[in-house]
Amino acid sequence: MRVLVVDDEELMAAAIAEGLRQESFAVDVAHDGARVPAELADGGHDVLILGLPRAQGDEVCRRVVAAGTGVRVLMLTVFVAETDRLAALAAGADDCLGKPFVFAELVARVRALGPRLVGTGATTGHGSP
């Protein structure tokens, strides 16, 4: 499964990417929401993890959904109030996880958002059985 991690905190993005790579995900990283359309242009990403400030993250999420990329969006947010999580979902996010988070939960949520083989429940990457 291929994941794009977008977080303005470079150390956070690097840590998430390294952890996901250790879990056998293919991971690309960006630190600026403006780069997201170019990063997603090849259509190869399954999941987008957005860890940008709320207004910017919501806008990037809306653009990704409107573009019809089919990529699933997991928002990471320091805002953990119910209204903040609801705003992320209203922007089109498929899931929302508050910072700080337990890494194992992030991995489980990414796996849950990824592609599935029909009838087997197994996950797969693009073009692989």
Side-chain angles (χ1 to χ4, degrees):
M1 182 182 334
R2 190 168 168 204
V3 178
L4 174 59
V5 176
V6 182
D7 198 307
D8 61 336
E9 297 177 35
E10 292 185 22
L11 291 176
M12 175 67 80
I16 292 170
E18 181 57 29
L20 290 174
R21 288 181 185 118
Q22 289 178 11
E23 295 289 330
S24 300
F25 292 96
V27 183
D28 298 304
V29 176
H31 303 291
D32 180 357
R35 296 211 20 92
V36 172
E39 293 286 335
L40 295 178
D42 70 358
H45 292 92
D46 301 296
V47 176
L48 167 62
I49 298 175
L50 275 177
L52 299 172
R54 178 156 168 219
Q56 185 183 12
D58 287 355
E59 180 57 32
V60 170
C61 185
R62 281 187 195 93
R63 285 187 303 178
V64 167
V65 171
T69 64
V71 71
R72 307 291 301 272
V73 180
L74 170 60
M75 298 276 282
L76 298 180
T77 180
V78 295
F79 301 105
V80 293
E82 180 180 344
T83 55
D84 297 310
R85 292 190 312 268
L86 291 173
L89 296 171
D94 296 288
D95 198 359
C96 186
L97 182 61
K99 291 180 184 179
F101 53 85
V102 174
F103 190 75
E105 182 178 2
L106 174 71
V107 170
R109 288 173 183 252
V110 169
R111 284 193 174 119
L113 290 173
R116 298 171 195 226
L117 289 173
V118 177
T120 67
T123 59
T124 182
H126 284 288
S128 335

